[in-house]
Amino acid sequence: MAGFHIKQIVLLLLLVCCAHAHTHIRNLIIDGKTLERGQCIRPYESHFNYPVKGVDNEQIVCRTTSMSASSTDMCDVKAGSTMTIEFHEEEDSGSRAIEGKHYGPCIAYLSKMTSDGQPSGWFKIFEQGYDSSSKKWCIDTLNANDGKLDIEIPGDIEDGDYLLRGEIIALHLAEKKGGAEFYNNCVQLTISGGSGTATPELVQIPGVYAEDDPGIYFNLYDGYKSYSIPGPKVYKAGSVAAVNPKAPGNGDTESSSSAGGEDDNGGEDDNGGEDDNGGEDDKEPTTSSSSRKGNGSPPDDDANPSPTDDDDSKSSSPAASTKPTSSPKPPCTRPRRRRRNVDARRRIAEL
C-alpha cells in the first residue's frame, strides 16, 4: 500500500514538473530592437507552449492551425544579417527558456512563402545539438542566454517573403518511439539584399523526420557520448546544396566518398583509375555524383571491387604485359599446320 502511495507522489511530481516545462518563441530581436510578444509570429494556439507529438503531425510545421499570412505582420530583415529568436516557457519574458532537463537540439529552417502563405520547401540554416567536450546541450546554452538564439540569414538567397521555423526537440521521453517533443513556431519575414544565387536543397515538413531517426528516437539515460542532429545539413551562403537524408531517393548523407577516395565500406574505390579492361574507368562522373547526392543506392561491383578485381584495376600497363597473353600462340600453331601440309605433299609425291 505504501508503495502505491509513493508511485502516486512520484507521478504527481512529474506532472507538476512537466506542467511548467513547455516553451514557445515569444518574440524576435531584429536590428537590436526587441519586438512585442507574437509580432511577426504565426498565431499561437490556446495551449501556446504545449509540444507537438509525432513527426507526421501537421502541426509540426508551425504549431498552429492558422496558416494564413494575412493575420500576421511581416518583419523586414536583411540577407546576411543576424536576428534573434527568443524562447520562453511563459508569456512573460522573465521566464526561463525551457525546463533544464529537457535536453535536445535547437534548429532553424527557412522557406519561401507561396502567395497564400504556405511554405514552398524548407532548408536548414541553423542547428546546435550536443557538445561532447563540454557535455552541454543547446538547451543549456539557451537557458544561460535568457532564451535568446541568434540566427544568421544567408546572404545569397533570393529576395522575398519567407517563413523562418524555429524548433526545439526535447528528448527526455524519446527513449520510446513517438516520445520526442517538438516546440516550433514560424516567423514571417520579408528578406531583401540577397544575391539570389543560392540553390539550397529543399525538404518537406512533415516528411523530413522519421520516428526511428537517431536524433528523434534517442535515449538520454543510456550513457550517450554523442548525438546526431536530425534533418538535412545546414545551408551556408555559397555552400553546395545540403541533401536531406529523408527526401525521396536520398540515402544516408553522414559520409560521402569522392572520386579516388575511400568508399562507404572503408576501402579505396576505383574511380579515377583504370578499369578491369585496362582502359580508363568511365563510371567516375556517375559514381561521384551519386556519392555527393547520397541517393542511398547500393554500390555496384565496380565501386566495391573484389580483391582480385581491385588488383587488376590498379595494375599499370607495363605490369600487365608480363602476364601470359595470346600473342605467342599464332607462331606456335601456324608452323604445325604448315608441317602437316608439307608431310601430305610428300606422301602424294611418293605415290
Side-chain angles (χ1 to χ4, degrees):
M1 197 68 176
F4 176 74
H5 288 301
I6 291 174
K7 288 182 180 178
Q8 283 186 316
I9 293 171
V10 171
L11 180 59
L12 181 61
L13 289 174
L14 286 173
L15 289 174
V16 171
C17 166
C18 294
H20 299 282
H22 302 153
T23 190
H24 71 305
I25 297 179
R26 181 192 179 277
N27 59 271
L28 313 175
I29 302 176
I30 299 176
D31 293 332
K33 180 182 179 182
T34 300
L35 306 186
E36 296 293 327
R37 178 180 183 265
Q39 187 175 348
C40 298
I41 301 172
R42 287 283 170 95
Y44 305 121
E45 297 293 285
S46 56
H47 300 294
F48 62 89
N49 61 1
Y50 277 39
V52 175
K53 302 276 278 191
V55 297
D56 295 322
N57 190 327
E58 286 299 322
Q59 286 216 357
I60 202 173
V61 183
C62 293
R63 202 170 29 159
T64 182
T65 55
S66 177
M67 288 300 290
S68 171
S70 59
S71 59
T72 305
D73 293 336
M74 303 293 300
C75 281
D76 294 325
V77 175
K78 293 293 183 183
S81 68
T82 297
M83 61 174 290
T84 302
I85 58 178
E86 198 166 321
F87 285 91
H88 288 283
E89 279 186 335
E90 306 297 340
E91 294 183 33
D92 66 281
S93 59
S95 61
R96 62 185 174 182
I98 192 171
E99 201 280 324
K101 298 299 182 182
H102 280 28
Y103 297 130
C106 310
I107 302 172
Y109 293 85
L110 269 182
S111 172
K112 284 289 291 286
M113 276 192 347
T114 63
S115 57
D116 60 350
Q118 302 300 308
S120 59
W122 301 92
F123 56 101
K124 186 189 286 186
I125 60 170
F126 175 89
E127 65 179 21
Q128 184 179 336
Y130 176 69
D131 184 347
S132 58
S133 60
S134 65
K135 295 181 170 52
K136 298 290 186 182
W137 286 85
C138 177
I139 300 307
D140 297 311
T141 305
L142 202 61
N143 277 325
N145 200 32
D146 297 325
K148 297 178 178 65
L149 194 66
D150 291 339
I151 307 293
E152 182 180 351
I153 305 299
D156 58 352
I157 60 177
E158 292 181 333
D159 292 352
D161 293 339
Y162 284 80
L163 284 173
L164 184 151
R165 178 182 177 274
E167 173 180 55
I168 291 173
I169 305 177
L171 302 170
H172 57 289
L173 300 175
E175 73 275 10
K176 294 182 179 180
K177 287 185 180 179
E181 295 182 349
F182 299 86
Y183 297 94
N184 50 282
N185 294 100
C186 291
V187 177
Q188 292 190 172
L189 303 174
T190 297
I191 299 177
S192 61
S195 65
T197 59
T199 56
E201 186 84 8
L202 303 181
V203 300
Q204 297 303 314
I205 301 175
V208 68
Y209 301 142
E211 293 290 5
D212 58 356
D213 283 348
I216 303 292
Y217 178 40
F218 184 81
N219 193 341
L220 280 173
Y221 317 106
D222 195 27
Y224 62 90
K225 294 183 178 179
S226 62
Y227 172 78
S228 177
I229 300 174
K233 295 179 180 179
V234 172
Y235 178 81
K236 294 291 186 182
S239 66
V240 178
V243 177
N244 169 33
K246 292 301 172 185
N250 289 333
D252 184 9
T253 59
E254 184 80 11
S255 61
S256 59
S257 62
S258 58
E262 290 188 353
D263 63 17
D264 292 339
N265 296 324
E268 288 187 2
D269 63 19
D270 58 357
N271 295 329
E274 293 183 352
D275 62 16
D276 292 338
N277 297 323
E280 290 187 357
D281 189 348
D282 59 354
K283 295 185 178 180
E284 179 181 354
T286 303
T287 306
S288 177
S289 176
S290 298
S291 176
R292 286 194 297 269
K293 291 183 180 177
N295 62 4
S297 301
D300 57 23
D301 293 339
D302 288 335
N304 294 281
S306 64
T308 302
D309 292 339
D310 193 57
D311 290 340
D312 290 346
S313 68
K314 292 179 182 179
S315 298
S316 59
S317 54
S321 65
T322 62
K323 295 184 179 181
T325 63
S326 59
S327 55
K329 291 182 180 180
C332 295
T333 56
R334 284 196 293 270
R336 290 192 188 103
R337 288 196 293 268
R338 286 198 296 271
R339 181 174 294 277
R340 284 196 295 270
N341 292 337
V342 170
D343 292 342
R345 286 196 295 271
R346 285 178 179 173
R347 285 195 294 271
I348 292 172
E350 289 174 357
L351 293 175

